[in-house]
Structures are given as structure tokens and as C-alpha cells.
Amino acid sequence: AVVVMRILLWMRHTFNLGYGWVLVIFGVVVRLVLWPLNQTAMRTSLKMQRIQPELNALQQRHKSEPQKLQSEMMRVYKEHGMSPFSMFSGCLPLLLPMPVLFALFFVFQSTIEFRGVSFLWLGDISQKDPFYILPIVMGLSMFVLSWIGMRNTPPNPQTKMMGYLFPVMMTFLLANLASGLNLYYTVQNLAALPQQWLIASERARVAKTKK
């Protein structure tokens, strides 16, 4: 929280902008900084989807031989330059921005600089959005991100359920918190859309090539 606050103060004095625009720029910058990590995670998830049919076939072939199954699966992972932990890479795009979001939560709780600061229709970015516009837009942007991320992926009921449930949870969780927090998270979600779309398009091309 201290590091994030210092960055925001530096941006405020360097660019001579209001804190609302500082949060907008900060959201875009965070997404750009995380772009390489997200790109790696998404590509790993894409590779995981490619080898999933092979892994499923091994599970059927060696379901009565646990040790043989484990060694064969490790062989497949190694051949594709992956590890068993690669299956969790799909969660990283959602999890990577969270530390900054938590830090901003404490910043808005304990910092007086944001109090009484207006931005667009918001009278005070340290208070909740009186019209709940930002929480709704934030939830919708998360839903669109999830929807794009699930395009051209193998059917997975658990992933689909989380893709729909997580945006609703975050909307209710942030609805009554500082509008500046919702502003930051909305902006960084919107800034993530181009990258998510590019990966989804790449996934579609791979699926078409396989056919």
C-alpha cells in the first residue's frame, strides 16, 4: 500500500493531474506492466488445451496403472516444455492484478489525499459510487473478459461457472467500497480486453488449423 501510494503521489505531482485521472493512467500502466506475464500465462494455457486430448487418452489407457500413468503424463509435459503446474496458468490473468487491488483498498482506507476529490459524476472518489455505475461497468468488463477468454476453449462446466460467478461476486464485493477503487479496476479490465481478444483469436486459428 505504501509503494502504491508513493507511485500515485509521484504521478499526481509529475503530471499535474487530478487523482481520478491518475487512477485511470495507473490502471492502464498496471495492465501494460503485467502484459508479458499475462501473455506467458495465456500461451501456456493455450498449450495446455492442445495437449489435453493426449492426457485424457493416457488416463483412459493407464487408469489401472497409477505409476505408469504418472510417468507417461510427465513425459508428455516434458515433450511440450511444460509441467503439471501449467494447468493453473489460466488463473493467473485474474490473480495477477489482485495484489495491487488489495493495496489500493488499504490506500483508500487510510489516506486523506483522496478524500473529497471529485471525478466526473463522482463527488468523492474515496466514497462509494452513489449511482453504482462504476461497480456495474466493472462487473460487465469482467464478464466480457471471461467470455472472450472462454471462446474456442474445450467445454468445461467448472470454468464456465466461475467465468460467470466471479464477476458477480466482485461486483457485489466492490459495490459499496471507494468509487476510486472501482474506477481503477474497471480501467485495468478494459485495458486487458485487447490482449484477451488477441489470445482468443490465436486460439481460434489453432483450432481451425487442427481441423
Side-chain angles (χ1 to χ4, degrees), residues 3 8 13 40 42-43 45 50 54 65 76 79 82 84 97 107-108 116 125 132 148 170 178 201 204 207:
V3 171
L8 295 176
H13 294 299
T40 301
M42 290 175 179
R43 289 188 185 281
S45 179
R50 291 174 189 164
E54 190 174 352
E65 304 172 283
V76 172
E79 285 178 357
M82 301 171 69
V107 167
F108 277 103
I125 62 173
Y132 295 100
I148 294 174
M170 291 299 292
S201 299

Side-chain angles (χ1 to χ4, degrees), residues 158-170:
Q158 289 82 13
T159 302
K160 189 174 182 179
M161 184 182 69
M162 281 304 300
Y164 294 141
L165 187 60
F166 195 63
V168 175
M169 290 170 53
M170 291 299 292

Side-chain angles (χ1 to χ4, degrees), residues 25-201:
I25 295 171
F26 184 66
V28 174
V29 168
V30 167
R31 182 52 66 175
L32 290 175
V33 169
L34 294 178
W35 185 290
L37 293 173
N38 281 324
Q39 193 81 351
T40 301
M42 290 175 179
R43 289 188 185 281
T44 303
S45 179
L46 190 59
K47 289 169 66 178
M48 191 70 194
Q49 290 166 17
R50 291 174 189 164
I51 68 170
Q52 196 60 51
E54 190 174 352
L55 294 175
N56 291 339
L58 287 174
Q59 288 173 346
Q60 290 296 319
R61 192 181 310 141
H62 302 292
K63 56 185 176 182
S64 60
E65 304 172 283
Q67 291 185 340
K68 179 70 173 177
L69 173 62
Q70 186 177 5
S71 64
E72 285 296 303
M73 289 180 70
M74 290 302 296
R75 177 186 59 78
V76 172
Y77 284 128
K78 189 174 181 180
E79 285 178 357
H80 292 85
M82 301 171 69
S83 76
F85 298 105
S86 299
M87 68 180 69
F88 301 110
S89 63
C91 303
L92 285 179
L94 286 176
L95 297 178
L96 285 173
M98 287 301 175
V100 180
L101 183 68
F102 293 147
L104 272 176
F105 170 78
F106 290 108
V107 167
F108 277 103
Q109 288 285 315
S110 59
T111 306
I112 62 172
E113 278 83 358
F114 290 132
R115 294 174 190 174
V117 174
S118 61
F119 181 71
L120 300 179
W121 70 90
L122 305 169
D124 187 345
I125 62 173
S126 68
Q127 302 296 319
K128 70 178 183 179
D129 184 339
F131 306 110
Y132 295 100
I133 295 172
L134 276 175
I136 292 172
V137 175
M138 185 275 298
L140 289 174
S141 65
M142 286 193 71
F143 176 81
V144 173
L145 270 176
S146 298
W147 177 76
I148 294 174
M150 288 186 290
R151 287 176 67 238
N152 305 306
T153 59
N156 188 320
Q158 289 82 13
T159 302
K160 189 174 182 179
M161 184 182 69
M162 281 304 300
Y164 294 141
L165 187 60
F166 195 63
V168 175
M169 290 170 53
M170 291 299 292
T171 300
F172 280 100
L173 184 64
L174 298 181
N176 292 309
L177 297 182
S179 54
L181 193 64
N182 284 275
L183 175 63
Y184 157 77
Y185 205 46
T186 301
V187 168
Q188 70 95 31
N189 282 343
L190 295 174
L193 287 174
Q195 185 180 33
Q196 192 79 300
W197 186 268
L198 288 172
I199 291 294
S201 299

